Amino acid sequence: MATVTLHGDAIQTSGELPKVGTKAPDFTLTAVDLSSKSLSDFSGSKVVLNIFPSIDTGTCAQSVRTFNKEASGLNNTKVLCISHDLPFAQARFCGAEGLENVINLSDYKNGKFGKDYGLNFVNGPLETLHSRCVIVIDEKGIISHTEQVSEIVDEPNYKAALEAL
């Protein structure tokens, strides 16, 4: 169990992020077209998991915008933006913003991704949502970088994630 804060108040997560150097656990999430996508669908590519509570908050939205901008210049890299938001909300946001370089995936059906990755909040006002995390996975499926943002309203360290690629 990890502890992060929301405006300084402690909130616990369901576990710890997978360790750097280990194989990333596979998952199945829902894409904006309601199809199922799994990590194995991106095999052979570098993958950035941009994980956050809700696309309808300022910091979460900014992380999607920032990774969309950065992803446009990355070779063999997919940026997956993952939250509990419904696929319709994810599609609406990216459509309105003109964001085409990220892939939105939803954990709304059963929350298994958040549980398997140890990043769901287990208490506080955001209980059951995902904590803000970035996980970088190499072409072989090995985790090369993780960050669980300690204060949920803060943005992740984009530079560290991009350097891990």
Side-chain angles (χ1 to χ4, degrees):
M1 192 176 285
T3 301
V4 297
T5 59
L6 173 62
H7 300 293
D9 295 326
I11 302 174
Q12 281 71 45
T13 64
S14 58
E16 301 287 334
L17 294 180
K19 302 289 182 209
V20 170
T22 64
K23 182 123 178 104
D26 201 9
F27 54 76
T28 300
L29 296 167
T30 304
V32 296
D33 65 0
L34 301 181
S35 66
S36 293
K37 295 288 183 190
S38 62
L39 181 58
S40 58
D41 291 330
F42 305 98
S43 181
S45 295
K46 299 175 204 170
V47 178
V48 177
L49 305 180
N50 177 33
I51 307 158
F52 48 85
S54 176
I55 204 159
D56 285 323
T57 66
T59 305
C60 300
Q62 186 57 48
S63 73
V64 174
R65 286 184 201 105
T66 300
F67 276 119
N68 180 75
K69 178 183 174 189
E70 296 297 334
S72 67
L74 300 174
N75 291 325
N76 193 33
T77 302
K78 305 294 184 200
V79 177
L80 311 182
C81 295
I82 302 170
S83 68
H84 274 284
D85 292 301
L86 291 175
F88 314 113
Q90 294 172 332
R92 175 191 41 78
F93 174 82
C94 285
E97 296 271 334
L99 307 179
E100 299 177 349
N101 299 316
V102 295
I103 300 165
N104 284 289
L105 299 172
S106 178
D107 193 19
Y108 83 98
K109 287 186 177 177
N110 60 19
K112 186 169 173 8
F113 167 81
K115 293 171 192 164
D116 290 349
Y117 275 71
L119 50 81
N120 284 347
F121 291 121
V122 296
N123 65 329
L126 302 178
E127 186 174 352
T128 74
L129 296 180
H130 296 157
S131 59
R132 185 176 319 287
C133 302
V134 176
I135 300 172
V136 178
I137 304 167
D138 72 14
E139 299 96 324
K140 296 177 184 174
I142 304 301
I143 296 171
S144 60
H145 169 81
T146 64
E147 177 191 13
Q148 187 163 51
V149 179
S150 59
E151 170 56 56
I152 197 68
V153 300
D154 292 343
E155 291 183 58
N157 184 340
Y158 303 110
K159 183 179 178 187
L162 295 169
E163 286 176 354
L165 291 167

